[in-house]
Amino acid sequence: MQFLIKPITLPLALFLALCFIDRCGVSATEVPGDVSAFLEQHCIDCHSGDEPDGDLDLTTLGFELDDLKTRQRWLRAHDRVHAKEMPPDDAMTLTSEQRMTFTRALSRSIVRAEAGHNDVVLRRLNKHEYQNTVRDLFDTDVIVHGLPDDSSTDGFDTVGEGLAVSAEAMTAYLAAADQVLDAVFGPKEKPKAIHHETNLLDQVDWRGRPMDQQIGKMFRQTDDGLVVFQSGYCPTHLVNFSRLRAPAGTYRGTFKVRAVQSENPVTLRIYGGDTIVNRREQHLVGYYDVPPGDWTTIEFTDRLLETGGTFHPKCYATRDTRKDADTWPHPGIEIGDITIEGPLEPWPPVSRTKLLGEIDVTSANQADARTVLRRLLPKAFRRPIDDDDLKSYLELYQSSVTTGQSFESALRVAIKAVLCSPEFLFLIEPGESQIDSYALASRLSYFLWSSMPDETLFSLAANGSLSNPRVLRGQVERMLNSPRAARLTKGFTGQWLDLREIDFTQPDANLYPEFDELLRVSMIRETELFFEEILKNDLSLVNFVDSEFTFLNERLARHYGIDEIHGQAFRKVQLPDDSQRGGLLTQASVLKVTANGTSTSPVLRGVWILENILGTPTPPPPDSVGSIEPDIRGATTIREQLIKHRDIESCAACHRRIDPPGFALECFDPIGGYRHEYRTMATEGRRPKLKQAPFTYNWVRYRLGQDVDSTAVMPNGMTITDITSFRNALASDPDRLTTNLAEQLLTYAIGRKLGFSDRPLVDQIVTQTRERHYGFRSLVHAVVQSPAFQQP
């Protein structure tokens, strides 16, 4: 079955506006004869004169392909004719030869114009790559703050065009270098070691008052500690630990715990940082299953980023009590002895020893500075260095010494200059037809690890063997099997699927009272584990749109209506045959980032599918056309509003492609729950049977509105009856899915926008992947082996 949505992006009227022969002499560039003849015969008649169809006068568009916007319009015209979407009236009578003659002539012009504007933009490390690089360069766990957010180009923050360096950014890099060097050299004295043994019985509140005033109300006292019931407000902060003013660093915590008044495990959650006043950084440490019966020891390691941080344990998904804890019958957690110890980092830091070696800073001299810099610069610059590279940094060191600075201070000045140099901040890729071996090592490493090459890649670059296809394949396998490959999962899925935007909107608490933090973090984890499974086992990338498995914990499984999944640990789950789930488009993370927190829009979701899954972006709507805002009162459905919207001639053509895939997902609400009716805050709606939301126990205030209709008719006439038929339709065209994913991976990997002239290379990648049964790991190999990956 051929897939139902064509890969072209312009409606008829706009296409015709692009296909213009300059009858009025305004074009500065001559239209090729084959293009001119085709347009004269098939395009012009309906779109010229005083009242052109679609209100579009074709006598205003030229053929100046040096202009990017004009070139993009002609490119879309090429695609629509090639896909047999245009011209509509002659679609059945045009021969393949006629179409080919037109598209060949137009493509030659586009390629020539594109070649003249295909300069490579030098790519700067984005802030994630900078963070990873300084960690790997110095072997330190430093967390850099203050770097500005990077711009996204073609969906990724790895594209050079969006990574300019402003004065603000350079100031941030100077400050970042100081943070890095502070961590590398470490404190002058060993931080005080803390071994803090405590119990909630020993705690006081932030004002110094003992906890016993809450015993019998919120907490129940036992021989070994306290039973905690609270999942909401819960004053169990380890205040005594915060008063120690523990230095920033990594700490190990152990909690003796057991569930009470429950046959099943109860979930404990722990937060770290400034959990008391909430004025500084705080973060989630984790969620932990606490079984009933014998004592269980929960152990974690966590990084406190600021001096004076602490930890805060509390229950999850339990009913709170404020006055009768001693007789409260519902589940809780008994917390016994607690131990916090750290900082766990060795002193002097490993990074300091790695940088200085055996050098004694009290007696070191310029020769020692030369030794340090000669060892550091090749790694920092990701290539061999010579004396000229070294000279300027040694001069900085020496000038600092001349002003009376110590060896360590002067060396810091030189290294700070290294960290702010273009050789470090930019990926410099010399070469004419092919980048050199060191640049190839860096391109590969920043693609798969978002960081600098390791010693193995440096060695292979040095002996010139890295470009050997067999060696390159072996390195891709090694790198994908490394824990560092988790950075590819985070970086690529975070942008391809917009997972970084998961917190951009907050679901309306009245409409979606069941939404909570654990559901949100579980959404992301499902998608990341799903991505890793397909990549690790070279599964068909068709699984991205239609799979028989996913990864779930209890919280997410309950959200999906799947039983018999217990505990917060994720595991691979075979989906029931009748499940509405399967593939990315049914995962809560994607469904949330394609909604606004209050309502869903088939337009937004439809555009997202066309752009992110099918690789067929749509043009922006005309400025004169207003947006569609769903009626949260429930008086009209979004389908009814869009029917009126599509009566506008300038909107109809695009919405014929956009709306159907969006409607197919209407059975999922803004937090990824499956639904039969819309939720509304109107007073006349039907009340749901549920009085309190699961897990959060928030009161249900919404009403049930009109029924959801998720059927759709695709542009080719196919009717989509439910989400299963839509998944099947998407899965029926693996070449389209592969083409899109190949383009996404190439853009992310090589750091530039793809153009029309890259299409043959993408086609080769698709062919190679098809021969490997559309395996996702095979696609990554094909991308790395492609000429585009190894060209400047």
Side-chain angles (χ1 to χ4, degrees):
M1 178 175 61
Q2 292 297 313
F3 185 64
L4 41 117
I5 299 178
K6 298 298 183 182
I8 314 304
T9 60
L10 293 186
L12 167 62
L14 185 52
F15 166 76
L16 292 174
L18 305 177
C19 299
F20 165 65
I21 295 177
D22 180 22
R23 291 182 169 182
C24 300
V26 298
S27 176
T29 304
E30 184 178 354
V31 180
D34 289 333
V35 174
S36 174
F38 184 91
L39 298 177
E40 283 281 5
Q41 184 174 356
H42 301 288
C43 299
I44 291 298
D45 289 344
C46 296
H47 290 270
S48 59
D50 295 334
E51 296 182 358
D53 286 0
D55 224 13
L56 293 172
D57 185 353
L58 303 184
T59 60
T60 58
L61 183 67
F63 200 71
E64 297 87 354
L65 297 183
D66 284 345
D67 177 73
L68 177 60
K69 291 184 178 180
T70 302
R71 188 164 70 248
Q72 289 174 338
R73 291 169 179 169
W74 282 102
L75 175 58
R76 291 166 184 161
H78 168 281
D79 288 346
R80 301 210 74 177
V81 172
H82 179 74
K84 300 181 181 180
E85 285 192 352
M86 296 295 170
D89 294 339
D90 300 332
M92 302 302 296
T93 58
L94 279 175
T95 66
S96 297
E97 183 62 30
Q98 286 175 304
R99 291 186 185 277
M100 189 175 298
T101 298
F102 169 76
T103 55
R104 280 180 176 173
L106 185 52
S107 65
R108 284 194 295 266
S109 298
I110 294 172
V111 169
R112 282 196 301 269
E114 197 174 78
H117 296 270
N118 203 24
D119 297 333
V120 176
V121 178
L122 201 60
R123 183 160 89 80
R124 172 178 56 81
L125 302 184
N126 62 42
K127 70 175 185 178
H128 301 286
E129 293 167 336
Y130 180 95
Q131 174 75 77
N132 293 331
T133 300
V134 294
R135 285 184 168 190
D136 295 340
L137 175 62
F138 294 108
D139 195 5
T140 178
D141 288 331
V142 61
I143 298 177
V144 178
H145 300 283
L147 291 179
D149 291 334
D150 299 298
S151 299
S152 177
T153 302
D154 274 19
F156 297 103
D157 63 5
T158 58
V159 177
E161 290 183 36
L163 294 170
V165 178
S166 63
E168 176 191 19
M170 282 311 305
T171 301
Y173 280 122
L174 289 168
D178 285 329
Q179 296 176 52
V180 172
L181 292 172
D182 286 344
V184 170
F185 284 95
K188 295 186 181 298
E189 297 181 358
K190 184 177 180 179
K192 64 177 179 179
I194 293 177
H195 183 90
H196 181 66
E197 296 182 358
T198 189
N199 191 291
L200 291 182
L201 284 171
D202 304 326
Q203 295 299 306
V204 296
D205 66 17
W206 65 279
R207 292 178 177 174
R209 298 174 301 192
M211 290 278 284
D212 58 11
Q213 63 179 332
Q214 293 295 341
I215 293 173
K217 298 178 181 178
M218 287 187 175
F219 311 128
R220 180 187 303 168
Q221 184 174 351
T222 68
D223 292 339
D224 298 295
L226 290 181
V227 176
V228 178
F229 299 101
Q230 306 301 103
S231 61
Y233 171 71
C234 189
T236 49
H237 311 270
L238 301 187
V239 177
N240 294 356
F241 179 74
S242 72
R243 292 185 168 189
L244 297 176
R245 300 293 297 167
T250 303
Y251 289 81
R252 179 185 299 112
T254 56
F255 285 67
K256 281 183 61 180
V257 292
R258 59 182 171 187
V260 299
Q261 300 174 175
S262 176
E263 296 180 355
N264 300 313
V266 179
T267 302
L268 176 73
R269 49 181 164 167
I270 301 175
Y271 297 90
D274 180 17
T275 66
I276 302 173
V277 183
N278 297 329
R279 291 179 180 174
R280 298 180 296 160
E281 185 274 341
Q282 63 171 303
H283 56 271
L284 172 69
V285 176
Y287 284 78
Y288 306 89
D289 294 323
V290 178
D294 295 334
W295 287 100
T296 296
T297 298
I298 288 175
E299 181 175 310
F300 64 86
T301 57
D302 182 68
R303 181 82 175 273
L304 294 178
L305 301 181
E306 299 175 277
T307 297
T310 189
F311 298 98
H312 181 202
K314 60 191 298 188
C315 295
Y316 169 74
T318 55
R319 292 185 179 273
D320 292 355
T321 179
R322 295 290 182 97
K323 59 183 179 179
D324 51 2
D326 286 340
T327 58
W328 190 248
H330 300 290
I333 297 175
E334 184 177 3
I335 301 178
D337 292 337
I338 299 169
T339 301
I340 308 293
E341 54 185 337
L344 302 180
E345 290 86 355
W347 189 89
V350 172
S351 53
R352 181 186 181 94
T353 303
K354 181 177 179 180
L355 178 70
L356 298 177
E358 300 298 323
I359 293 173
D360 181 356
V361 296
T362 62
S363 59
N365 54 30
Q366 186 178 37
D368 295 312
R370 177 186 292 273
T371 298
V372 172
L373 291 170
R374 186 172 287 281
R375 188 167 53 232
L376 175 66
L377 259 61
K379 296 178 180 179
F381 292 170
R382 302 174 287 275
R383 62 167 177 79
I385 65 163
D386 54 28
D387 288 341
D388 287 339
D389 293 313
L390 193 60
K391 181 180 178 182
S392 58
Y393 299 102
L394 273 176
E395 289 176 349
L396 276 174
Y397 161 82
Q398 190 57 49
S399 64
S400 298
V401 169
T402 301
T403 63
Q405 295 190 43
S406 67
F407 172 83
E408 184 174 321
S409 296
L411 186 61
R412 281 183 61 128
V413 171
I415 298 177
K416 184 174 182 178
V418 171
L419 295 179
C420 294
S421 71
E423 294 273 8
F424 175 75
L425 292 177
F426 288 82
L427 292 176
I428 299 174
E429 301 175 329
E432 295 184 3
S433 61
Q434 185 169 341
I435 57 177
D436 71 18
S437 59
Y438 292 98
L440 178 59
S442 290
R443 183 172 284 188
L444 182 62
S445 186
Y446 281 97
F447 172 32
L448 301 180
W449 286 349
S450 297
S451 185
M452 61 181 287
D454 63 359
E455 291 294 343
T456 300
L457 288 175
F458 275 130
S459 297
L460 294 172
N463 64 32
S465 64
L466 185 58
S467 59
N468 181 298
R470 293 183 62 183
V471 173
L472 197 55
R473 180 176 181 82
Q475 288 306 298
V476 170
E477 283 295 307
R478 178 181 72 88
M479 297 173 73
L480 288 178
N481 291 332
S482 165
R484 293 185 185 182
R487 298 169 181 173
L488 172 64
T489 300
K490 285 280 188 183
F492 184 71
T493 62
Q495 298 180 85
W496 170 41
L497 302 175
D498 294 326
L499 299 189
R500 289 181 180 177
E501 306 300 319
I502 195 73
D503 293 325
F504 186 73
T505 61
Q506 185 67 21
D508 187 313
N510 288 318
L511 287 171
Y512 301 98
E514 70 269 42
F515 183 79
D516 62 13
E517 176 189 63
L518 181 54
L519 178 58
R520 177 179 58 80
V521 298
S522 298
M523 291 175 176
I524 296 292
R525 193 63 186 139
E526 175 194 18
T527 303
E528 291 175 347
L529 289 170
F530 183 72
F531 179 92
E532 289 176 347
E533 177 76 2
I534 297 173
L535 178 60
K536 176 183 177 182
N537 295 303
D538 199 25
L539 302 181
S540 170
L541 51 82
V542 172
N543 281 284
F544 284 128
V545 296
D546 188 22
S547 69
E548 298 177 349
F549 69 91
T550 190
F551 287 81
L552 299 174
N553 62 358
E554 180 179 354
R555 179 67 183 90
L556 196 56
R558 290 273 299 276
H559 187 59
Y560 288 174
I562 298 174
D563 299 325
E564 305 304 322
I565 305 294
H566 303 292
Q568 302 311 330
F570 273 84
R571 77 291 315 255
K572 186 176 180 180
V573 174
Q574 198 72 16
L575 293 167
D577 292 339
D578 60 349
S579 177
Q580 298 91 4
R581 308 290 169 170
L584 292 171
L585 298 182
T586 67
Q587 292 181 5
S589 62
V590 168
L591 293 164
K592 183 181 184 305
V593 299
T594 56
N596 66 8
T598 299
S599 59
T600 58
S601 167
V603 176
L604 294 179
R605 281 179 170 172
V607 168
W608 191 93
I609 293 170
L610 293 177
E611 292 182 350
N612 295 57
I613 303 300
L614 301 177
T616 57
T618 57
D623 294 336
S624 59
V625 177
S627 61
I628 295 295
E629 296 295 336
D631 181 4
I632 62 173
R633 300 168 302 169
T636 60
T637 66
I638 187 68
R639 184 182 292 268
E640 291 169 338
Q641 290 176 284
L642 279 170
I643 288 174
K644 294 181 179 180
H645 189 69
R646 288 172 67 170
D647 288 340
I648 304 172
E649 187 174 354
S650 60
C651 301
C654 281
H655 279 277
R656 278 195 293 268
R657 298 178 54 248
I658 293 171
D659 296 351
F663 278 128
L665 297 187
E666 275 294 275
C667 55
F668 297 107
D669 65 30
I671 61 171
Y674 190 78
R675 64 185 177 186
H676 295 285
E677 303 98 353
Y678 291 102
R679 295 182 183 183
T680 174
M681 295 306 297
T683 57
E684 63 270 15
R686 179 166 54 88
R687 290 186 180 276
K689 295 179 180 179
L690 198 65
K691 301 301 181 184
Q692 285 183 291
F695 297 99
T696 65
Y697 297 109
N698 292 327
W699 292 105
V700 173
R701 295 182 173 87
Y702 62 82
R703 302 289 184 96
L704 297 177
Q706 299 192 36
D707 291 343
V708 171
D709 181 1
S710 57
T711 61
V713 178
M714 297 300 177
N716 67 349
M718 177 184 293
T719 297
I720 299 300
T721 57
D722 54 23
I723 188 61
T724 300
S725 61
F726 183 59
R727 284 160 34 202
N728 291 339
L730 291 170
S732 69
D733 194 352
D735 273 14
R736 182 179 304 282
L737 302 172
T738 308
T739 298
N740 172 62
L741 201 47
E743 291 173 347
Q744 302 274 7
L745 284 170
L746 263 179
T747 303
Y748 178 83
I750 66 179
R752 69 168 174 84
K753 297 165 63 174
L754 299 187
F756 185 79
S757 58
D758 292 306
R759 289 187 177 187
L761 294 174
V762 173
D763 290 342
Q764 290 177 7
I765 292 172
V766 172
T767 298
Q768 293 169 18
T769 307
R770 184 191 308 121
E771 293 170 354
R772 303 292 298 178
H773 309 291
Y774 298 101
F776 186 35
R777 201 176 185 96
S778 297
L779 173 59
V780 173
H781 278 293
V783 166
V784 172
Q785 297 284 350
S786 70
F789 190 83
Q790 302 182 40
Q791 292 171 349

